[in-house]
Amino acid sequence: MKWVLGIESSCDETGVAVVGYEPGNHCTPVLGAHALHSQIDMHQAYGGVVPELASRDHIRRVLPLTQEVLNASGLKLADIDVVAYTRGPGLAGALLVGAGVASALAAALDRPVMGVHHLEGHLLSPFLSADAPAFPFVALLVSGGHTQLMAVDSLGCYRILGETIDDAAGEAFDKSAKLMGLPYPGGPALARLANDGDPQAFKLPRPLLHSGDLDFSFAGLKTAVLTQTQKLGDQLPERKADLAASTQAAIVEVLTKKTMAALAQTGVDRLVVAGGVGANQRLRQALSEACQKRRVRVHYPELHLCTDNGAMIAMAAALRLQAGLEQAQRDYAFDVRPRWPLDEGLGAIPS
Ligand code: KG4
Ligand code: ZN
């Protein structure tokens, strides 16, 4: 068994994990242990992520979390065979912490180091669940910064079928929540409030629902939510749950319909849902119902592994190494890619 130590530090979560794999073997790599520190409490006062604070906090957390993971897995640093880190996309300063620590650890241990694409980590995170997917599949990647539908033919072969032309689904949740006065991060807060509301109370736009392609647009929805909050004025507090439910319903309907269109278009009968918004229960319910009707198998990451974590980074590295798709490097001159399209430099095919 070879062990990969994975470090995630692209945004507001410091995640560390160890994943074990057998080289040349086709068994899915296994998670040894993972540990996570969320910076939500620290950023909450500012209503969003403050990049410089994020970087500084990653520095404080990353080594204690590494020790925690080693203790939990019964491994020693010397047992680590490869050190992996999130190379991008994400906040430059935050990424540099993970890249720097991973490269320094690897150099000190005389082990190779490997940069991982954050979105590939999300995409492959369902491989950490008991019901791991098989290739090929269609992936719906819905995070705070990205909304993409992808045809995944095999490991590293990612063809973008459609993506957002403005805000990401997570941003639509977060910005709408902010307009309703909900705390950061808005997605989970809006989803909780929506449980008490009527999803049909407000008629909100379903942008690009009938555009005939697989692209998304959520900026108009945010504007419609803003208009509604202004119209409601003093009535907002008593109608907030209805507005939250209606907003969630609009986002979920567009995501579900476009995903089903992507499945129909590709003829693929397997779906993977990944990224922070994949934790949304209403989205899971709508996708599961639609997939059941079409006899499509749907795979989700475990709930706690939907948002950023180190396990998905270690898993993506282990899958690549196991498949012989990539060699880890012994060149410790690291760099980061704050903007890094998933279909570039990963052996992927652009649309
Ligand atoms: O994947 P992620 O942790 O970070 C990025 O790579 O962007 O996703 C974070 C996003 C945030 O926009 C957050 O509000 C959203 O995922 N999110 C949710 C839920 N949990 C997290 N949105 C809706 N419902 C949820 N339950
Ligand atoms: Zn993410």
Side-chain angles (χ1 to χ4, degrees), residues 247-297:
T247 306
Q248 177 174 259
I251 299 171
V252 166
E253 185 181 341
V254 177
L255 291 176
T256 305
K257 293 223 164 118
K258 295 260 172 172
T259 302
M260 298 323 288
L263 287 158
Q265 189 176 307
T266 53
V268 171
D269 61 0
R270 201 179 280 273
L271 172 68
V272 158
V273 183
V277 181
N280 186 274
Q281 291 301 333
R282 185 65 205 106
L283 177 65
R284 285 185 174 220
Q285 197 185 343
L287 284 171
S288 295
E289 279 167 15
C291 285
Q292 206 176 7
K293 274 191 207 143
R294 298 254 190 114
R295 295 179 185 279
V296 169
R297 283 280 313 270

Side-chain angles (χ1 to χ4, degrees), residues 81-153:
D81 297 288
V82 176
V83 185
Y85 64 93
T86 304
R87 186 173 170 223
L91 301 169
L95 289 167
L96 278 168
V97 177
V101 168
S103 300
L105 261 181
L109 293 169
D110 193 21
R111 298 287 191 275
V113 66
M114 184 175 159
V116 172
H117 197 293
H118 181 81
L119 297 182
E120 185 174 46
H122 275 303
L123 199 65
L124 301 176
S125 59
F127 283 90
L128 290 157
S129 66
D131 181 29
F135 298 106
F137 54 79
V138 164
L140 171 66
L141 190 63
V142 270
S143 71
H146 294 82
T147 299
Q148 292 177 330
L149 275 165
M150 253 170 295
V152 179
D153 300 324

Side-chain angles (χ1 to χ4, degrees), residues 91-326:
L91 301 169
L95 289 167
L96 278 168
V97 177
V101 168
S103 300
L105 261 181
L109 293 169
D110 193 21
R111 298 287 191 275
V113 66
M114 184 175 159
V116 172
H117 197 293
H118 181 81
L119 297 182
E120 185 174 46
H122 275 303
L123 199 65
L124 301 176
S125 59
F127 283 90
L128 290 157
S129 66
D131 181 29
F135 298 106
F137 54 79
V138 164
L140 171 66
L141 190 63
V142 270
S143 71
H146 294 82
T147 299
Q148 292 177 330
L149 275 165
M150 253 170 295
V152 179
D153 300 324
S154 59
L155 187 70
C157 275
Y158 310 128
R159 193 158 36 92
I160 295 176
L161 302 170
E163 60 189 327
T164 183
I165 58 170
D166 43 51
D167 290 352
E171 257 177 305
F173 269 105
D174 293 343
K175 289 179 177 173
S176 303
K178 205 170 185 174
L179 291 169
M180 293 176 215
L182 300 175
Y184 157 89
L190 191 148
R192 266 194 306 277
L193 185 62
N195 286 334
D196 303 324
D198 172 6
Q200 285 166 352
F202 295 95
K203 298 235 168 316
L204 296 173
R206 269 69 172 153
L208 299 191
L209 187 59
H210 302 294
S211 60
D213 58 21
L214 297 172
D215 286 338
F216 302 90
S217 163
F218 290 107
L221 176 64
K222 174 190 63 193
T223 311
V225 171
L226 172 65
T227 310
Q228 277 302 339
T229 56
Q230 286 167 343
K231 263 196 211 161
L232 284 168
D234 293 348
Q235 284 183 317
L236 180 62
E238 72 229 44
R239 302 296 311 278
K240 216 191 274 190
D242 285 343
L243 188 55
S246 303
T247 306
Q248 177 174 259
I251 299 171
V252 166
E253 185 181 341
V254 177
L255 291 176
T256 305
K257 293 223 164 118
K258 295 260 172 172
T259 302
M260 298 323 288
L263 287 158
Q265 189 176 307
T266 53
V268 171
D269 61 0
R270 201 179 280 273
L271 172 68
V272 158
V273 183
V277 181
N280 186 274
Q281 291 301 333
R282 185 65 205 106
L283 177 65
R284 285 185 174 220
Q285 197 185 343
L287 284 171
S288 295
E289 279 167 15
C291 285
Q292 206 176 7
K293 274 191 207 143
R294 298 254 190 114
R295 295 179 185 279
V296 169
R297 283 280 313 270
V298 53
H299 299 261
Y300 304 99
E302 288 182 34
L303 264 186
H304 68 286
L305 297 176
C306 278
T307 43
D308 295 347
N309 63 82
M312 68 185 197
I313 300 305
M315 174 55 87
L319 283 166
R320 280 190 160 258
L321 292 165
Q322 187 183 42
L325 208 64
E326 195 167 330

